[in-house]
Amino acid sequence: MTKLINSDLVAAQNDKQLQALQADYDHLAVQLARRGVDIVAITERAKVFQVAVPSWGTGTGGTRFARFPGIGEPRNIFEKLQDCSVINQLVCCTGSVSPHFPWDKVDDFSELREAADDLGLAFDAINSNTFQDQPSQPLSYKYGSLTHTSEAVRAQAVAHNLECIEWGKALGSTALTVWIGDGSNFAGQSHFQRQLERYLESARTIYAALPDEWSLFLEHKMFEPAFYSTVIQDWGTSVLCAMELGEKAKSLVDLGHHAPNVNIEMIVARLIQFGKLAGFHFNDSKYGDDDLDSGSLHPYQQFLIFNELVDAEYRQQPGFNPAYMLDQSHNVTDPIESLINSAEEVQRSYVKALLIDREALYGFQESNDALMATNTLKAAFNIDVSPILAMARLQLGGAIAPLTSYRASGYRQSVAQQRPSTGESGSGIV
């Protein structure tokens, strides 16, 4: 397997920090033992945790006002895979990549799969794109795609999704994520019911083409680019459509796609309860769909979401197998650095949720002891699990301090010489 960061450099960096890590890990082990928790068992759980990286996340993002390109940005899917492999080499919990088509379309998908295999990467859910017009596209999505009033436009959008399934099969993926920007910007512009009827008609054709082992992830978004109404605007519409389509259709949760002050962890619980949770796009939000780095603003909310996820694991709920992926826009940071940080923060929330005393929590819930129930959650959240995360990485051959090792490697400066800037985004985003 090709490693793009020198293994000797990572080992040298680890040697500098190993003694301190072992001391911190041993100290935490004593603390957890007093709670009846085996740190080795928790470390093993941390070692198998995975969150996918979006191919587009390796490029610099932007807004409708401007984009400020960074040096050494990937110009195509092969270079995106290189950056994703660097992240995984250091954090050891991002072993799969979620591609986006047609941004990542290639002539030879077997070559792409071989390139991923060589870098030790697999492919996660495939993402289709009918929210933009592409240069070779005969019909426009200006007034919608899967819900357009024109049957021809709808057929074009469906055909693209069917292509994505075929490309995904070649890459070894087992899921298709569908997000549409369809909606309206003026009251009265669209007939709400007919629009949703057209969506279901289109989605049924896509659903029928899914291989037996595949899933269809329906992603919702409250607003943008349709600012008055959005066809799949919340988890309720998403899950209703998933229930209409069938067992293989599920509702995807993007943490930035909700109305302000919505209780996202309760939405997660509802979707788990009815077997309709597809998985997550992890990011953080201050105002709307900001796509900020995961855990940068609301780490406790992320922890509460993982409380529901770990609870489902603990209760061994049938069919529970959510897909986890980062989905962020990096406007002022090195995307690799942000994705390293975010992967660690998502893994941190998972490990903290593993430390919750579930039986004690259930007891407080049953006895209506609100204060002790919430304190049980906070007791786990307030534990610094950094030594567990670092030890898991070390045992898997990664970096004790991924960001430090990445900066010491000079990777960004090195690829900048190989990837002259075009001023455009290879990720496909604005």
Side-chain angles (χ1 to χ4, degrees):
M1 183 177 73
T2 300
K3 294 187 176 181
L4 300 180
I5 301 292
N6 186 288
S7 297
D8 291 338
L9 180 145
V10 176
Q13 290 290 323
N14 286 346
D15 285 344
K16 296 177 184 178
Q17 300 158 73
L18 182 56
Q19 185 175 358
L21 170 60
Q22 192 64 59
D24 291 344
Y25 187 79
D26 292 343
H27 179 66
L28 180 56
V30 172
Q31 289 182 301
L32 294 179
R34 286 199 297 265
R35 301 168 179 255
V37 176
D38 179 4
I39 195 172
V40 174
I42 298 297
T43 304
E44 290 301 312
R45 298 282 292 276
K47 285 164 65 175
V48 298
F49 179 83
Q50 289 286 310
V51 57
V53 172
S55 63
W56 62 93
T58 57
T60 303
T63 71
R64 60 195 177 95
F65 296 104
R67 192 183 82 87
F68 301 95
I71 65 169
E73 286 190 88
R75 299 162 297 179
N76 54 58
I77 181 59
F78 292 98
E79 292 178 351
K80 295 174 194 177
L81 289 180
Q82 291 173 356
D83 289 0
C84 290
S85 75
V86 167
I87 297 165
N88 190 50
Q89 180 184 348
L90 297 175
V91 300
C92 299
C93 66
T94 58
S96 60
V97 177
S98 188
H100 211 302
F101 296 122
W103 298 341
D104 296 327
K105 184 179 181 296
V106 295
D107 293 330
D108 186 348
F109 281 93
S110 62
E111 179 188 10
L112 181 59
R113 187 167 183 176
E114 288 174 6
D117 289 343
D118 181 60
L119 294 168
L121 298 171
F123 286 98
D124 202 75
I126 302 300
N127 299 264
S128 63
N129 180 342
T130 61
F131 52 86
Q132 288 177 322
D133 287 348
Q134 305 300 326
S136 60
Q137 180 181 312
L139 301 172
S140 176
Y141 296 133
K142 180 176 182 178
Y143 295 109
S145 58
L146 295 178
T147 75
H148 201 288
T149 54
S150 164
E151 183 178 355
V153 176
R154 297 198 303 275
Q156 175 182 272
V158 168
H160 168 63
N161 280 277
L162 299 185
E163 273 188 319
C164 287
I165 292 173
E166 293 304 311
W167 298 334
K169 286 161 62 177
L171 296 176
S173 178
T174 58
L176 170 67
T177 298
V178 176
W179 174 74
I180 57 170
D182 297 22
S184 65
N185 283 282
F186 291 90
Q189 176 184 338
S190 301
H191 191 287
F192 293 152
Q193 290 189 43
R194 288 174 181 163
Q195 206 171 38
L196 189 59
E197 287 167 2
R198 292 192 291 266
Y199 173 84
L200 286 169
E201 178 187 17
S202 300
R204 286 189 182 100
T205 304
I206 298 168
Y207 185 90
L210 292 174
D212 290 341
E213 71 279 9
W214 273 53
S215 297
L216 180 62
F217 296 168
L218 304 184
E219 184 176 359
H220 63 272
K221 188 174 182 180
M222 186 176 63
F223 67 96
E224 190 193 32
F227 285 93
Y228 171 67
S229 70
T230 303
V231 178
I232 310 297
Q233 86 286 1
D234 60 18
W235 76 278
T237 302
S238 174
V239 76
L240 284 172
C241 290
M243 293 171 75
E244 281 285 315
L245 293 174
E247 184 180 352
K248 292 186 287 188
K250 298 183 178 181
S251 180
L252 185 72
V253 177
D254 184 306
L255 299 191
H257 288 191
H258 302 269
N261 305 317
V262 165
N263 189 328
I264 300 176
E265 54 269 31
M266 189 171 72
I267 293 171
V268 171
R270 295 288 185 263
L271 292 173
I272 292 171
Q273 185 169 0
F274 292 95
K276 283 297 182 182
L277 177 65
F280 291 87
H281 283 180
F282 285 108
N283 48 53
D284 217 330
S285 168
K286 179 68 173 178
Y287 301 107
D289 186 25
D290 307 335
D291 278 347
L292 303 176
D293 289 14
S294 296
S296 60
L297 285 180
H298 304 297
Y300 191 58
Q301 180 189 59
Q302 185 169 273
F303 164 78
L304 293 176
I305 290 167
F306 270 101
N307 170 49
E308 300 301 330
L309 297 169
V310 170
D311 179 73
E313 286 184 5
Y314 184 80
R315 297 173 64 195
Q316 298 181 334
Q317 293 193 237
F320 178 76
N321 185 29
Y324 299 146
M325 191 190 83
L326 301 172
D327 181 16
Q328 304 171 174
S329 180
H330 313 107
N331 300 330
V332 295
T333 60
D334 179 334
I336 290 179
E337 294 191 355
S338 274
L339 290 166
I340 284 173
N341 257 16
S342 295
E344 186 173 3
E345 288 307 305
V346 172
Q347 187 184 35
R348 184 187 309 278
S349 293
Y350 172 68
V351 171
K352 286 187 174 188
L354 292 175
L355 300 182
I356 296 170
D357 187 337
R358 301 241 153 243
E359 293 303 323
L361 178 60
Y362 294 156
F364 294 132
Q365 289 171 341
E366 290 298 317
S367 64
N368 298 306
D369 192 335
L371 190 64
M372 288 306 297
T374 199
N375 281 354
T376 300
L377 293 180
K378 288 183 177 178
F381 176 75
N382 288 330
I383 296 173
D384 182 5
V385 298
S386 297
I388 295 176
L389 305 183
M391 187 61 74
R393 291 192 295 268
L394 178 66
Q395 293 177 4
L396 290 171
I400 292 176
L403 189 56
T404 300
S405 292
Y406 171 71
R407 290 191 171 187
S409 74
Y411 174 81
R412 180 60 71 187
Q413 292 71 27
S414 174
V415 295
Q417 299 175 23
Q418 305 161 22
R419 306 173 183 174
S421 176
T422 62
E424 299 179 357
S425 173
S427 63
I429 54 182
V430 176

